[in-house]
Amino acid sequence: MTVLSLLPATELLLTSLFLLACILLFSTIISCRPKPPALFPPGPRPLPLIGSLHLLDLKHMDTSMMKLSKKYGNVFSIDLAGLRVVVLTGYSTVQDALVNLADQFSGRPHNPLFDKITFRMGVIFSDGKLWQNMRKLVLSTLHGFGMGRPLQDRITEEVGFLVSQIEDQKGQPFETLPILTPATGSVICSIIFGNRFECDEERFLRLVKMNTEILQLMSSVHVQLLNFLPWLSFLLSKTKIIRNRDQMHKIIADMIQAQDNRTSVSDKLLFKLEQESEMEDVKMRDRNTLCMIMDLLVAGTETTSTTLSWGLLLMSKYPKIQKKVQAEIDQVIECSRCPRIEDKRSMPYTTAVIHEIQRFTNIVPLNLPHSVTTDTYFRGYLLPKGTYVMPILTSVLQDKTQWEKPEEFYPPHFLDGDGKFVKRVAFMPFSAGRRMCAGKDLAKMEIFLFFTSLLQRFNFQCPPGEPELDLTPQVSFIQSPRPHKLCAIPR
């Protein structure tokens, strides 16, 4: 006797109708799902509604994609709840797409989360002609601001304040990221607004805090689900991410209004936007300005401070490497002066260590999404115009064909047999091609000057009696170290 036969006639009818409706709905979903175009890259067979989300670890998307690539190849497709994405893995594949076919892979696809946050404006998440104009504008403005002595002096000034903060710890354990982030944030704010902000100024700290929260929330599982499930994406507007964005825009607008420095980047951007922008709607132009400045703040604060935090953690983990860096610093730089960017050419080992920190820590593992700007034939496959593309940076920075010890921290990756620094083609921490980070040169200068200055003044080490330092990253859009404390002992 079946369960259905035990039900009353009315309930039996309703249950049967419900089951029939479910079957019809299921069949409709399957039949309505568009088939991949001819010559589209292969991939796992998707399930109704969720696609292939069941195959992914949403906290470690990069490693999930790399596992799938072992089965489907370095160019494969995956269905993310109806969004068909082409995934690229390995140095050769990513280089071929982003560099050799730079124009075709320079688009930025629609993404519910990024679209909600940025309105598809600014320089990072805009697309098409707007993006081309904004990137050109930002690059020319930063270049005009000067990447030489004036900028070095600003960074060195901030290093001095940071050194004082660390000295105040008196060798006791402290967390590095909470003081590094305001320091790098102060540098980019001084460039944008023309004034240095004290690290205890309330609105500045609010900016830094909300920026960090946005990046952390972007990687949370519930936000990822809202992003990938189109029927839930409307809920993104209710999240703290959007509230933080609105508050950051208000603070930035107030800072622009209050500034009295006519040589700041924001003032130059405003002037050029008024002269060159094709946006006749003043409200839209102002929103674009806020998005552009927020892009500069986000890109110029968290990534640099996270890299430096990783660097100090790694030096504490590997004291022999720290001592070799300090020996080179002492040899090249007189103890009475601060490091300068010109010293870099005489410091091959330190330069190799900094590059290896960036490679090993891989702080933006997924890269930012790309799209193809025209129908593109790529490695035997046809990618229709607008195809969403994910070039996985982890697969480049840990490519076993390019790195001798890809999963280890190994500075000799960037040294030849004579101890001279060598560039590596698979070194892509800033991505590559047309969408490469616009602030790359500023970030490289900051990382070198902060890192060498701190190691010139302090020995960093694990607090006495603490367990061995953990190099497992904390899950976030920007991959940062887990909360930890170090001791900074004056040299």
Side-chain angles (χ1 to χ4, degrees):
M1 184 176 293
T2 66
V3 174
L4 288 178
S5 65
L6 295 175
L7 294 172
T10 303
E11 291 187 22
L12 178 59
L13 177 61
L14 290 174
T15 302
S16 300
L17 289 173
F18 175 75
L19 291 173
L20 179 61
C22 289
I23 294 170
L24 289 173
L25 177 62
F26 185 81
S27 302
T28 302
I29 290 172
I30 294 176
S31 62
C32 290
R33 182 183 292 273
K35 294 182 179 180
L39 298 179
F40 202 69
R45 185 179 181 86
L47 296 177
L49 300 179
I50 66 169
S52 298
L53 287 178
H54 63 293
L55 300 177
L56 303 177
D57 179 351
L58 295 182
K59 290 186 177 182
H60 303 282
M61 290 272 286
D62 57 326
T63 53
S64 294
M65 296 298 188
M66 289 169 65
K67 287 178 182 177
L68 288 171
S69 73
K70 292 179 180 179
K71 180 176 181 179
Y72 297 102
N74 288 335
V75 183
F76 70 93
S77 63
I78 188 165
D79 187 307
L80 302 179
L83 174 65
R84 189 173 287 117
V85 174
V86 170
V87 181
L88 309 179
T89 62
Y91 161 71
S92 176
T93 307
V94 173
Q95 165 80 6
D96 198 11
L98 301 190
V99 178
N100 299 338
L101 296 174
D103 289 332
Q104 293 93 317
F105 282 86
S106 65
R108 188 71 83 204
H110 282 280
N111 178 294
L113 177 58
F114 296 144
D115 290 357
K116 289 275 187 185
I117 297 173
T118 69
F119 308 102
R120 289 182 69 77
M121 290 183 173
V123 67
I124 297 178
F125 293 103
S126 57
D127 194 34
K129 190 173 181 181
L130 176 63
W131 164 69
Q132 293 172 359
N133 292 340
M134 293 304 100
R135 183 177 175 86
K136 181 179 178 182
L137 183 60
V138 167
L139 288 173
S140 65
T141 303
L142 288 175
H143 181 74
F145 177 82
M147 296 296 289
R149 183 175 183 117
L151 183 55
Q152 282 202 71
D153 290 343
R154 290 198 179 200
I155 297 171
T156 301
E157 178 188 25
E158 198 60 48
V159 167
F161 291 112
L162 178 62
V163 166
S164 296
Q165 279 188 285
I166 295 177
E167 287 175 340
D168 289 344
Q169 308 301 319
K170 300 186 183 303
Q172 295 302 306
F174 69 101
E175 292 188 31
T176 58
L177 201 53
I179 65 171
L180 287 170
T181 303
T184 57
S186 186
V187 171
I188 192 65
C189 279
S190 70
I191 294 170
I192 293 173
F193 301 111
N195 299 304
R196 179 188 178 271
F197 290 87
E198 294 293 337
C199 288
D200 59 354
E201 185 175 333
E202 183 182 356
R203 63 177 178 173
F204 171 69
L205 290 176
R206 284 177 61 207
L207 268 181
V208 171
K209 181 174 182 290
M210 288 187 289
N211 177 36
T212 301
E213 287 178 346
I214 286 176
L215 293 170
Q216 290 175 343
L217 289 168
M218 283 169 63
S219 294
S220 63
V221 172
H222 76 278
V223 169
Q224 290 293 336
L225 286 174
L226 293 179
N227 191 36
F228 288 134
L229 299 174
W231 56 90
L232 294 177
S233 62
F234 72 94
L235 293 174
L236 285 171
S237 60
K238 309 292 185 183
T239 62
K240 190 175 183 180
I241 293 176
I242 304 304
R243 294 198 299 273
N244 278 12
R245 179 210 60 196
D246 292 341
Q247 292 179 49
M248 289 181 73
H249 278 192
K250 186 178 186 308
I251 293 173
I252 291 168
D254 291 343
M255 286 179 169
I256 293 173
Q257 191 70 29
Q259 73 177 12
D260 57 4
N261 192 317
R262 299 294 96 187
T263 63
S264 67
V265 163
S266 62
D267 189 68
K268 291 180 179 180
L269 281 174
L270 284 169
F271 177 77
K272 289 185 177 182
L273 278 171
E274 290 176 1
Q275 298 296 314
E276 302 175 19
S277 177
E278 297 180 4
M279 292 183 183
E280 296 182 1
D281 187 323
V282 176
K283 185 177 179 180
M284 293 293 286
R285 190 173 66 204
D286 289 347
R287 174 178 282 182
N288 186 48
T289 302
L290 291 175
C291 289
M292 190 183 309
I293 291 176
M294 187 165 166
D295 283 349
L296 294 175
L297 283 171
V298 171
T301 301
E302 203 78 21
T303 53
T304 303
S305 63
T306 299
T307 301
L308 289 168
S309 182
W310 273 118
L312 300 182
L313 176 61
L314 286 163
M315 292 304 94
S316 302
K317 179 82 170 178
Y318 302 108
K320 290 182 180 179
I321 295 176
Q322 179 175 196
K323 287 180 181 179
K324 288 186 69 173
V325 171
Q326 290 170 327
E328 188 173 68
I329 291 172
D330 295 343
Q331 180 182 354
V332 174
I333 304 169
E334 300 86 351
C335 62
S336 59
R337 73 169 176 88
C338 296
R340 304 292 291 177
I341 199 67
E342 297 82 19
D343 298 320
K344 192 174 181 180
R345 66 174 69 97
S346 303
M347 302 172 67
Y349 187 77
T350 301
T351 304
V353 167
I354 291 173
H355 278 66
E356 181 65 359
I357 290 169
Q358 292 179 276
R359 184 206 69 82
F360 177 76
T361 59
N362 178 30
I363 65 171
V364 190
L366 279 179
N367 203 343
L368 292 176
H370 289 239
S371 65
V372 291
T373 57
T374 184
D375 290 353
T376 301
Y377 283 95
F378 182 71
R379 298 205 163 191
Y381 302 110
L382 173 61
L383 311 185
K385 179 180 178 180
T387 297
Y388 194 118
V389 179
M390 292 179 67
I392 308 298
L393 282 187
T394 300
S395 70
V396 178
L397 297 175
Q398 295 183 7
D399 190 328
K400 293 180 180 179
T401 70
Q402 299 295 316
W403 308 99
E404 292 86 344
K405 300 180 180 182
E407 296 181 2
E408 296 181 25
F409 181 68
Y410 186 65
H413 280 143
F414 294 93
L415 297 168
D416 65 13
D418 298 322
K420 295 180 180 179
F421 175 76
V422 291
K423 294 181 179 180
R424 300 293 294 266
V425 293
F427 180 69
M428 293 185 184
F430 300 103
S431 192
R434 299 280 187 266
R435 289 281 182 171
M436 181 185 290
C437 174
K440 172 174 66 76
D441 292 336
L442 170 60
K444 289 166 65 176
M445 184 184 293
E446 279 193 83
I447 291 168
F448 177 81
L449 293 176
F450 272 101
F451 183 74
T452 53
S453 297
L454 292 177
L455 290 191
Q456 182 187 41
R457 307 293 185 89
F458 304 99
N459 289 314
F460 290 90
Q461 61 188 44
C462 178
E466 292 290 322
E468 188 176 352
L469 294 170
D470 184 8
L471 299 183
T472 305
Q474 183 171 244
V475 176
S476 178
F477 182 73
I478 292 179
Q479 193 163 253
S480 59
R482 292 180 183 274
H484 64 279
K485 291 185 177 182
L486 301 178
C487 294
I489 310 302
R491 296 183 66 205

